[in-house]
Amino acid sequence: MKTKQLIGIIVTGVVIIAVGVTGVVSNVISQKILGSAEEQAGSSIFDMMNDMTTSELTLPQNDFVGVINVVGEIGESTSGFSSSDEYNHDLYMDYIEQMEQSSANQGILLYVDSPGGAVYQSDELYLKLMEYRENTGRPIWAYFASEACSGGYYVSMAAEKISANRNCWTGSIGVIVSLTNCKDLYDKLGIKEIDITSGENKAMGSSGLELTDEQYDILQSLVDEAYDQFVDIVVDGRNIDEEQVRKLADGRIYSAKQALENGLIDSIGSLEEQKQAFIDEYNFDEDIEFYAPENEISSFWSSLFSSAQQLIPETEIDLAEDIVENQGNGVLKYYAK
């Protein structure tokens, strides 16, 4: 193929992608602007774009039950380019703080549909909920949707009563650290990892190195410590003997029926039934609002980039990088595989 032809093909491809992305940008911006034109008639386009990327929590003035949607993997808040329906740790930590100060807030309902997540954020959310309970004396209840496993179950130990959908999977009480070892692949490709370290365990877990027995024991000790913490949380949250909890906490998943039989939840039913039971238990008004803040922090940019991303298919290299970075990143997790 001649050089001019090759250059022409490359330029054409760039133009097509540019036109596609421009179309996406125009569409997203126009929808956002037209949808809020009446409210922001005096604002510039830059003000409106800035508003699309920020979020302010405005709590209801009338009595309400705060809903916290623990949906998806529990972890640190991601950048503004993330999906708007992802779990937003910073948003909910702030939300709990504000509810604690609100006289209109009457309690919290945890809606859990999560496989779990990082130990740090799971514990931080749990402690924040327990702080709310201690400082306000208000109730926290939980509802399990399709799954409430590991970290999803962990945070729910702050709840006084738990109901689950009859098709829910829950439990998976345990800890996991996943690492991806690429040494054999590197050897085939003639790649050798070289790490200059201050100690023999500093590069522990690197993808190009085998774990030594000592390093395996080090990681196992971290897992065991986090596991003991999980067991203590369940003992306190469910008022079950520690020996019994350890029998249940071998990492397995339980159906809603099995969880009920083992005392891991209190009832099986629908979300609406749990809301009604909450209302009846504390004599709330029948029309009390169950309020969940909208995760608007990333709504504009996530709409833009998720749409644009569909124009560019993932390569094999992208998939491999995802496996190495996300599936075997060495982070302690309360997570169900």
Side-chain angles (χ1 to χ4, degrees):
M1 182 179 296
K2 295 182 180 179
T3 304
K4 290 185 178 180
Q5 290 178 318
L6 180 59
I7 293 175
I9 292 173
I10 293 174
V11 171
T12 301
V14 171
V15 170
I16 291 173
I17 293 175
V19 170
V21 171
T22 302
V24 171
V25 172
S26 301
N27 185 51
V28 171
I29 291 177
S30 63
Q31 288 180 0
K32 293 289 184 178
I33 293 174
L34 291 174
S36 57
E38 292 183 0
E39 297 177 4
Q40 305 185 41
S43 302
S44 71
I45 185 172
F46 299 104
D47 292 333
M48 286 187 279
M49 288 179 67
N50 181 63
D51 290 342
M52 293 170 198
T53 63
T54 59
S55 177
E56 292 185 5
L57 282 171
T58 303
L59 304 187
Q61 297 300 308
N62 297 323
D63 287 355
F64 73 98
V65 173
V67 178
I68 296 179
N69 291 312
V70 184
V71 178
E73 183 170 344
I74 301 169
E76 64 180 346
S77 299
T78 52
S79 70
F81 302 149
S82 63
S83 171
S84 60
D85 60 0
E86 289 180 356
Y87 173 77
N88 191 319
H89 187 69
D90 291 343
L91 174 68
Y92 287 127
M93 293 293 286
D94 186 34
Y95 183 35
I96 296 169
E97 184 78 25
Q98 291 199 33
M99 284 193 289
E100 190 174 318
Q101 306 302 321
S102 170
S103 60
N105 173 254
Q106 303 300 308
I108 290 175
L109 177 66
L110 292 174
Y111 177 86
V112 185
D113 195 358
S114 170
V119 166
Y120 179 85
Q121 282 79 19
S122 297
D123 188 53
E124 190 173 44
L125 179 59
Y126 165 80
L127 292 175
K128 192 67 175 177
L129 290 166
M130 293 301 292
E131 178 186 281
Y132 166 93
R133 273 183 59 177
E134 181 178 348
N135 292 343
T136 67
R138 300 170 198 158
I140 299 176
W141 282 26
Y143 180 77
F144 293 170
S146 64
E147 62 177 338
C149 296
S150 211
Y153 188 76
Y154 186 104
V155 300
S156 303
M157 292 302 94
E160 298 160 60
K161 287 192 177 180
I162 301 172
S163 180
N165 182 279
R166 65 180 183 178
N167 295 308
C168 175
W169 283 4
T170 187
S172 189
I173 301 170
V175 189
I176 186 171
V177 170
S178 296
L179 299 171
T180 300
N181 188 297
C182 302
K183 188 176 183 306
D184 289 344
L185 176 61
Y186 288 176
D187 289 343
K188 289 181 179 179
L189 297 175
I191 300 172
K192 184 176 182 180
E193 178 171 337
I194 300 175
D195 299 298
I196 311 302
T197 68
S198 57
E200 58 186 10
N201 293 316
K202 184 62 178 174
M204 176 176 60
S206 294
S207 60
L209 302 175
E210 297 282 1
L211 279 178
T212 66
D213 291 340
E214 179 185 19
Q215 292 167 352
Y216 186 92
D217 290 341
I218 290 171
L219 291 175
Q220 185 65 58
S221 70
L222 299 177
V223 169
D224 292 343
E225 187 174 314
Y227 173 76
D228 289 341
Q229 178 175 287
F230 201 157
V231 169
D232 290 342
I233 292 297
V234 177
V235 169
D236 292 339
R238 298 303 302 167
N239 194 27
I240 305 176
D241 180 78
E242 180 179 341
E243 183 179 354
Q244 178 62 18
V245 171
R246 289 187 180 275
K247 288 181 180 178
L248 296 170
D250 61 0
R252 76 180 64 186
I253 293 172
Y254 295 93
S255 68
K257 181 179 179 181
Q258 293 167 346
L260 181 61
E261 292 171 350
N262 285 292
L264 297 176
I265 62 174
D266 298 296
S267 62
I268 297 174
S270 68
L271 175 60
E272 291 306 314
E273 288 172 338
Q274 180 73 332
K275 286 182 178 180
Q276 188 59 53
F278 204 179
I279 291 172
D280 295 341
E281 180 77 15
Y282 295 98
N283 295 314
F284 297 148
D285 291 339
E286 286 293 326
D287 59 351
I288 191 170
E289 181 179 4
F290 283 80
Y291 174 77
E294 184 177 354
N295 183 3
E296 296 176 336
I297 292 177
S298 59
S299 60
F300 170 73
W301 292 114
S302 64
S303 297
L304 172 60
F305 284 92
S306 63
S307 297
Q309 190 176 31
Q310 295 176 9
L311 299 175
I312 307 173
E314 283 191 315
T315 66
E316 293 181 356
I317 294 177
D318 293 329
L319 295 174
E321 287 180 346
D322 177 68
I323 291 173
V324 173
E325 293 177 6
N326 299 316
Q327 304 304 319
N329 54 16
V331 176
L332 272 176
K333 288 187 175 184
Y334 296 133
Y335 189 79
K337 282 285 190 179

